[in-house]
């Protein structure tokens, strides 16, 4: 292979889609990691690092009282997220979940792992555990997006992945018909620790794609703690947000570029 061919081969490793950064959709920028350029990685991580974020559940509060923590007792459980669940950030996770774009799991997982390190959660973690889907949903879709993200994160952090540590029970009636309290009660009883691994004294990192009310993650954390885990952390790609924050982010260049391209 000659010079240019080598360069293309290298670019293809980092940018599987012909050298295009999945975030700014520009070509041949400096490679940070699979499918994301250095500039985008830094800009995206700046959002969670510079904005006012709830230290307990990762909600982008913009300095207001956190609505999740007002409704739910997280205890010592702490969750971090990378970006607000809106705009291109929501689109990316939807592409992964519903459009089968599994190649997105690596760059998103990579950014999540960087956030975990930044929050100081990485040091004591013994294992990475994905939030399980309902069995039927996973069958339908063919994969669990949280597992794909957890795999990428575990690899990046150099920690073991316990992909089946948690299992999820079936709900017998459609959740939509239930009241908020009934739903919450169902979620709280929906998970089981189903591994032989001893948890006592260990810290676990839970992985989910998004956090909305936090009830799912909280239920998983409770199960892990009941099984002996000393500390449980959570990381999600996207979390709740404050509208003012979005107005600011919408002005940044990678956001505009992507919207332009989509039109
Ligand atoms: Zn980029
Ligand atoms: Zn909170």
């Amino acid at each position: 292979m000659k010079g240019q061919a080598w360069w293309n081969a290298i670019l293809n490793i980092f940018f599987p889609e012909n050298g295009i950064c999945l975030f700014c959709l520009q070509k041949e920028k400096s490679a940070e990691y699979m499918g994301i350029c250095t500039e985008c990685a830094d800009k995206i991580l700046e959002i969670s690092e510079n904005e006012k974020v709830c230290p307990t559940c990762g909600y982008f509060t913009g300095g207001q009282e956190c609505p999740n923590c007002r409704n739910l007792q997280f205890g010592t459980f702490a969750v971090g997220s990378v970006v607000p669940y809106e705009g291109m950030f929501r689109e990316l996770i939807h592409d992964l979940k519903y459009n089968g774009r599994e190649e997105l799991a690596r760059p998103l997982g990579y950014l999540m792992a960087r956030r975990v390190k930044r929050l100081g959660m990485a040091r004591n973690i013994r294992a990475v555990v994905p939030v399980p889907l309902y069995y039927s949903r996973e069958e339908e879709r063919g994969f669990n997006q949280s597992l794909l993200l957890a795999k990428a994160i575990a690899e990046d952090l150099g920690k073991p992945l316990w992909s089946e540590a948690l299992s999820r029970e079936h709900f017998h009636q459609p959740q939509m018909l239930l009241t908020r309290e009934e739903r919450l009660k169902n979620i709280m009883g929906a998970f089981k620790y189903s591994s032989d691994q001893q948890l006592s004294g260990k810290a676990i990192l839970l992985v989910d794609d998004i956090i909305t009310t936090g009830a799912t993650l909280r239920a998983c954390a409770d199960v892990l703690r009941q099984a002996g885990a000393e500390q449980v952390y959570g990381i999600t790609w996207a979390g709740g947000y404050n509208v003012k924050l979005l107005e600011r982010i919408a002005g940044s260049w990678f956001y505009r570029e992507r919207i332009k391209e989509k039109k």
Side-chain angles (χ1 to χ4, degrees):
M1 273 195 277
K2 284 259 170 72
Q4 186 60 39
W6 269 113
W7 178 238
N8 285 341
I10 288 165
L11 267 180
N12 271 326
I13 294 170
F14 289 104
F15 295 119
E17 290 202 335
N18 309 317
I20 290 174
C21 168
L22 292 163
F23 291 77
C24 62
L25 303 172
Q26 292 182 46
K27 255 196 167 181
E28 298 184 11
K29 294 196 121 193
S30 54
E32 170 88 11
Y33 193 70
M34 314 267 175
I36 183 166
C37 73
T38 309
E39 208 169 331
C40 286
D42 289 343
K43 293 225 176 221
I44 286 165
L45 286 159
E46 265 172 29
I47 296 170
S48 42
E49 269 153 38
N50 296 345
E51 296 296 335
K52 290 202 170 67
V53 174
C54 172
T56 306
C57 73
Y59 197 100
F60 290 83
T61 60
Q64 308 286 313
E65 187 194 4
C66 175
N68 281 349
C69 293
R70 196 172 46 214
N71 297 324
L72 211 61
Q73 294 300 312
F74 282 87
T76 57
F77 179 42
V79 187
S81 37
V82 183
V83 287
Y85 185 55
E86 189 47 76
M88 76 171 280
F89 303 129
R90 185 166 65 184
E91 235 173 68
L92 283 164
I93 204 74
H94 278 205
D95 275 355
L96 169 63
K97 264 165 104 162
Y98 307 116
N99 301 332
R101 293 194 55 199
E102 293 178 42
E103 76 274 14
L104 285 168
R106 298 203 76 140
L108 300 191
Y110 163 73
L111 293 171
M112 288 161 80
R114 271 190 61 182
R115 183 80 185 128
V116 166
K117 289 179 206 161
R118 188 78 184 87
L119 288 168
M121 295 171 170
R123 254 166 291 136
N124 332 321
I125 290 167
R126 175 66 184 81
V128 179
V129 171
V131 169
L133 284 182
Y134 310 111
Y135 184 65
S136 55
R137 283 217 194 139
E138 190 167 343
E139 286 260 285
E140 209 176 282
R141 202 180 288 161
F143 65 93
N144 172 359
Q145 72 282 354
S146 300
L147 171 60
L148 294 182
L149 293 170
K151 210 183 268 178
I153 293 168
E155 227 175 86
D156 192 86
L157 297 177
K159 307 280 181 184
L161 171 74
W162 292 355
S163 55
E164 280 159 17
L166 288 173
S167 60
R168 192 164 190 161
E169 309 279 308
H170 273 294
F171 289 133
H172 298 292
Q173 73 196 116
Q175 296 296 292
M176 275 135 28
L177 302 177
L178 305 177
T179 65
R180 193 181 166 276
E181 281 70 35
E182 286 171 325
R183 252 194 334 247
L184 198 64
K185 212 174 130 218
N186 263 353
I187 291 173
M188 288 303 172
F191 299 95
K192 255 204 345 242
Y193 185 63
S194 41
S195 164
D196 310 329
Q197 300 273 10
Q198 273 301 321
L199 278 181
S200 48
K202 288 169 186 156
I204 300 295
L205 178 69
L206 266 171
V207 177
D208 209 354
D209 52 348
I210 55 168
I211 177 168
T212 46
T213 63
T216 303
L217 277 162
R218 169 55 226 276
C220 290
D222 284 355
V223 167
L224 291 172
R225 274 194 298 228
Q226 276 155 23
E230 190 173 303
Q231 174 70 49
V232 184
Y233 301 107
I235 185 74
T236 66
W237 163 247
Y241 58 87
N242 167 285
V243 178
K244 281 215 177 76
L245 161 77
L246 291 179
E247 287 165 5
R248 279 205 303 280
I249 297 174
S252 56
W253 62 270
F254 61 83
Y255 201 92
R256 281 199 309 273
E257 286 302 316
R258 192 175 164 94
I259 286 169
K260 212 162 67 195
E261 185 79 19
K262 285 261 167 184
K263 278 181 185 156

